[in-house]
Amino acid sequence: MLRDSFGRVATDLRVSLTDKCNLRCTYCMPPEGLDWLPNAQLLTADEIVRLVTIGVERLGITEVRYTGGEPLIRRELVDIVARTAALTPRPQISLTTNGIGLARLAEPLAAAGLDRVNVSLDTLDPDTFKRLAYRDRHADVIAGLAAADEAGLRPVKVNAVLMRDLNDHEAVPLLRWCLDQGYELRFIEQMPLDAQHGWTREGMVTADEILDRLSSAFDLTVDDIEERGSAPAERFLVDGGPARVGVIGSVTRPFCGSCDRVRLTADGQVRNCLFATEESDLKTRMRAGASDEELAERWVAAVARKRAGHGIDDPSFLQPARPMSAIGG
Ligand code: SAM
Ligand code: SF4
């Protein structure tokens, strides 16, 4: 098992398939993009499947989420999902994506065994989308969402990050639209993980603010039907339910105490936290001929060192050197 020194057990593995992306969301990366990892440093599909297999078969991983960067860019994605679905015990398999290309891929991904999808959509307005993500692709995201729904990847979840003076006036319209479409919306507080280091606490739209805005139009009640457990979203019934909305207050309402996540970067480093400042290199050991047992041991040791919390409020907090797109959000 992947148990840390505070007794938390990691069962939810997030795998970044690439650090590259076809959008440039302001809270994530600069308009000019980043110095992408050289291809030789990326794990191959076989290497990804080998590490995921070790996680599932030896280390108690029960959920695998593919992310990035933009995971739909990775050509072997359908194959990777199919091979993940063939593992025993079969893990739950999900995807976090910006939705571009999902119109074409939702069906084959569902057929390969994908269970669930989270699509990021921060605005209903194509012009705001262009200002926020520096690409004119709003229609592709909307089409991707519809295709996910059509392919049965339900409940389709939508992730939204609000930025002050850019899209923070859209909390209510976004929720209304998602309710109309039958999608489950979750707002995520902006975290200090952008490559440009532009995050400020004052600039961040807090969970409290988001809830205030939503409460001006909807009746929100804490959803006590399902325990929050290790799920980071606090969920609320909208107008008595059954529709729900989630708010992930990663900064102001941290859930570190019940965190069950561990991450694998696209270049094969285990990270025990989004905000970790150290990583454990499985790729180099694997390429040097390490056995499954040895890789599992290194992985166990990496999780054992997990810190109690992300410490964003700590005066000594250091933003990790890798941005979100390279860690795997
Ligand atoms: N490209 C895919 C996407 O956008 O869904 C997957 C990777 S992205 C890094 C994963 C999630 O992280 C997205 O929902 C995105 O909105 C969120 N995200 C990125 N940067 C963030 C930040 N600085 N704070 C909070 N959420 C962030
Ligand atoms: Fe790309 Fe996702 Fe980052 Fe946006 S949040 S730039 S879609 S990786």
Side-chain angles (χ1 to χ4, degrees):
M1 276 211 297
L2 295 169
R3 186 188 294 276
D4 67 34
S5 61
F6 301 93
R8 294 168 298 189
V9 177
T11 52
D12 179 347
L13 172 63
R14 305 195 158 218
V15 183
S16 172
L17 295 181
T18 174
D19 59 328
K20 296 189 192 64
C21 191
N22 40 15
L23 293 183
R24 300 286 184 269
C25 306
T26 310
Y27 48 74
C28 184
M29 60 171 85
E32 66 275 16
L34 297 166
D35 290 332
W36 312 121
L37 290 165
N39 278 344
Q41 281 191 33
L42 292 183
L43 295 180
T44 64
D46 286 346
E47 288 171 334
I48 291 164
V49 174
R50 179 171 173 204
L51 291 178
V52 170
T53 305
I54 292 172
V56 169
E57 293 186 349
R58 295 173 179 253
L59 299 173
I61 294 296
T62 55
E63 284 197 55
V64 180
R65 175 172 294 274
Y66 290 113
T67 178
E70 179 41 49
L72 293 181
I73 288 178
R74 187 86 196 222
R75 277 204 205 100
E76 311 99 322
L77 176 62
V78 174
D79 175 53
I80 292 171
V81 167
R83 291 165 73 187
T84 308
L87 297 178
T88 311
R90 183 199 188 284
Q92 283 289 303
I93 308 167
S94 53
L95 182 72
T96 303
T97 171
N98 64 27
I100 298 173
L102 198 56
R104 185 173 54 84
L105 283 165
E107 194 66 57
L109 282 168
L114 185 68
D115 296 301
R116 282 178 289 119
V117 69
N118 287 55
V119 178
S120 302
L121 176 70
D122 304 316
T123 174
L124 298 174
D125 174 31
D127 287 331
T128 306
F129 187 95
K130 223 179 344 176
R131 263 189 294 143
L132 201 152
Y134 287 87
R135 299 287 185 272
D136 194 4
R137 308 298 298 267
H138 189 257
D140 299 88
V141 182
I142 303 294
L145 275 161
D149 196 37
E150 185 78 6
L153 297 169
R154 297 191 192 114
V156 173
K157 293 196 177 167
V158 173
N159 290 355
V161 177
L162 295 181
M163 298 194 72
R164 207 172 290 291
D165 302 329
L166 202 50
N167 64 336
D168 58 338
H169 57 289
E170 290 200 63
V172 168
L174 271 168
L175 179 53
R176 192 158 281 136
W177 185 79
C178 285
L179 294 174
D180 282 350
Q181 307 294 318
Y183 305 152
E184 192 174 318
L185 177 62
R186 302 130 48 90
F187 290 98
I188 309 175
E189 269 180 352
Q190 188 190 350
M191 295 178 277
L193 285 169
D194 57 314
Q196 318 84 298
H197 291 227
W199 180 92
T200 61
R201 184 173 264 280
E202 305 72 52
M204 175 187 66
V205 181
T206 63
D208 282 349
E209 277 182 84
I210 296 166
L211 287 168
D212 277 352
R213 281 167 195 257
L214 296 179
S215 299
S216 70
F218 302 98
D219 178 32
L220 301 184
T221 42
V222 175
D223 180 7
D224 52 7
I225 296 165
E226 272 181 76
E227 291 284 312
R228 184 178 178 193
S230 62
E234 288 181 67
R235 302 212 289 185
F236 300 86
L237 293 175
V238 183
D239 293 336
R244 283 184 294 220
V245 63
V247 178
I248 306 183
S250 321
V251 178
T252 62
R253 303 175 178 202
F255 44 91
C256 305
S258 58
C259 176
D260 62 357
R261 298 174 175 191
V262 60
R263 294 180 149 82
L264 184 63
T265 67
D267 57 346
Q269 314 291 309
V270 168
R271 291 182 69 91
N272 57 27
C273 173
L274 261 181
F275 294 95
T277 46
E278 56 166 49
E279 302 178 336
S280 177
D281 183 357
L282 295 189
K283 179 194 67 191
T284 304
R285 294 303 311 145
M286 180 163 54
R287 291 186 180 174
S291 65
D292 285 359
E293 197 174 341
E294 189 187 327
L295 294 171
E297 274 167 18
R298 281 184 82 91
W299 197 334
V300 168
V303 170
R305 290 193 293 271
K306 182 164 169 152
R307 286 180 306 173
H310 57 44
I312 295 175
D313 274 330
D314 204 283
S316 62
F317 174 73
L318 278 182
Q319 183 170 336
R322 279 192 202 248
M324 181 79 138
S325 56
I327 295 170

